């Protein structure tokens, strides 16, 4: 076996041994492995070599004859070179794919708060002079809030935070959209649904910038606009006792009875 070439259709044995195949590739290789004695023998020979191959794949200049020859004679240097090259190539592909996924997620994170805040510029009754220029991006949360008829509201006498919670019954539970006013920053908050059975469920969470949301005396139009956040709970509407808007450090900003 040490002098025989590695058939092209068998070259995934190294990646399989390292566990870096995706589910579809692993399933296809296992089907092939069931009838291939060559791959079964190679897989047996590679047992215990996963850490060494993984380390080699991360080193510069992988796949050179010197690397192959520095390994034991089992399997052959040519087989090891192919395995190391394959591992390095697959890891590079995964790193590139992960980078694009992280970049896309980062774009959503950056654009999300802008859409939610900017789109609420024309949401106040009476309009305001700058409302038209601030509705370039749609705000699905505010649209859902406006079309929901079942709403409950409360203002905390100490914090002066006002929360209006819009509820809509769904087959899966309750869709919940919350309008928040007079929320000062910087802080991170969550909306908690508390059931009549005492169970607590986090509906959603958000971050408040330094300028805050829904502040009537704010110096910028953006900070004067309320914040709209949308989420859901497994509770049916008639199973909810009340809602709490809490900071991440445990401070109660406002409680709304259901």
């Amino acid at each position: 076996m040490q002098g025989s070439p590695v058939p092209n259709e068998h070259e995934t044995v190294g990646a399989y041994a390292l566990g870096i195949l995706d589910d579809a590739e692993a399933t296809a290789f296992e089907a092939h492995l069931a009838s291939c004695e060559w791959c079964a023998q190679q897989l047996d020979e590679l047992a215990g070599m996963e850490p060494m191959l993984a380390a080699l794949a991360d080193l510069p200049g992988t796949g050179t004859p010197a690397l192959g020859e520095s390994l034991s004679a089992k399997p052959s240097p040519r087989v090891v070179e192919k395995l190391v090259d394959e591992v390095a190539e697959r890891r590079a592909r995964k790193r590139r794919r992960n980078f694009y996924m992280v970049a896309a997620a980062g774009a959503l994170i950056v654009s999300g708060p802008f859409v939610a805040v900017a789109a609420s510029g024309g949401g106040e009754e009476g309009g305001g002079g700058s409302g038209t220029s601030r509705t370039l991006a749609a705000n699905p949360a505010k649209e859902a809030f406006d079309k929901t008829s079942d709403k409950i509201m409360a203002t905390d006498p100490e914090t002066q935070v006002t929360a209006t919670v819009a509820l809509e019954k769904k087959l899966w539970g309750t869709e919940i959209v919350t309008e928040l006013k007079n929320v000062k920053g910087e802080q991170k908050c969550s909306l908690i649904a508390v059931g009549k059975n005492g169970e607590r469920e986090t509906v959603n969470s958000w971050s408040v910038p330094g300028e805050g949301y829904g502040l009537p005396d704010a110096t910028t139009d953006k900070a004067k606009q309320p914040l709209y956040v949308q989420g859901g709970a497994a509770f049916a509407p008639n199973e909810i006792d009340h809602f709490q808007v809490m900071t991440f450090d445990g401070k109660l900003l406002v409680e709304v009875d259901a």
Side-chain angles (χ1 to χ4, degrees):
M1 282 188 58
Q2 294 183 11
S4 61
V6 181
N8 290 335
E9 64 270 21
H10 303 324
E11 288 184 352
T12 56
V13 65
Y16 181 82
L18 286 169
I20 63 172
L21 295 179
D22 59 31
D23 291 343
E25 291 172 329
T27 300
F29 179 78
E30 287 168 355
H32 167 77
L33 183 65
S35 59
C36 180
E37 182 179 353
W38 188 91
C39 281
Q41 292 176 351
Q42 285 294 310
L43 193 60
D44 182 62
E45 291 179 352
L46 289 172
M49 293 184 64
E50 294 92 334
M52 179 171 60
L53 286 176
L56 288 172
D58 287 333
L59 291 174
T62 55
T64 62
L67 274 174
E69 291 168 3
S70 68
L71 300 173
S72 71
K74 178 186 174 182
S76 68
R78 178 165 46 188
V79 173
V80 172
E81 291 163 23
K82 283 182 174 287
L83 296 178
V84 172
D85 286 343
E86 182 184 352
V87 170
E89 181 184 354
R90 286 179 177 270
R91 286 191 166 193
R93 283 205 306 268
K94 287 196 173 186
R95 282 194 292 266
R96 289 194 296 270
R97 183 166 62 246
N98 290 341
F99 170 80
Y100 294 137
M101 291 175 67
V102 170
L108 290 175
I109 291 171
V110 170
S111 64
F114 170 78
V115 171
V117 176
S120 62
E124 289 291 324
E125 293 182 5
S130 61
T132 302
S133 64
R134 299 182 67 81
T135 55
L136 298 177
N139 186 344
K142 184 182 184 305
E143 292 174 359
F145 179 86
D146 290 340
K147 74 179 182 180
T148 303
S149 57
D150 185 8
K151 298 175 182 176
I152 49 179
M153 184 187 73
T155 300
D156 187 275
E158 181 180 346
T159 66
Q160 295 300 307
V161 174
T162 297
T164 304
V165 182
L167 309 174
E168 185 173 349
K169 183 177 181 180
K170 300 291 185 179
L171 290 176
W172 45 262
T174 304
E175 184 177 60
I176 300 165
V177 188
T178 308
E179 178 192 68
L180 293 153
K181 297 180 181 179
N182 212 25
V183 184
K184 299 177 181 179
E186 297 179 354
Q187 56 188 337
K188 295 180 180 180
C189 308
S190 295
L191 177 67
I192 311 294
V194 183
K196 295 178 180 178
N197 59 0
E199 293 181 359
R200 299 170 63 85
E201 184 176 342
T202 299
V203 176
N204 44 34
S205 59
W206 61 92
S207 180
V208 182
E211 57 189 350
Y213 288 120
L215 300 171
D217 299 328
T219 58
T220 65
D221 182 64
K222 181 178 179 181
K224 291 179 181 179
Q225 306 310 318
L227 172 68
Y228 296 89
V229 289
Q230 187 172 12
F235 291 120
N238 61 0
E239 296 175 332
I240 300 173
D241 183 73
H242 63 276
F243 295 93
Q244 293 179 333
V245 177
M246 305 281 298
T247 65
F248 276 24
D249 58 7
K251 181 180 179 181
L252 176 65
L253 296 182
V254 62
E255 184 170 292
V256 184
D257 290 334

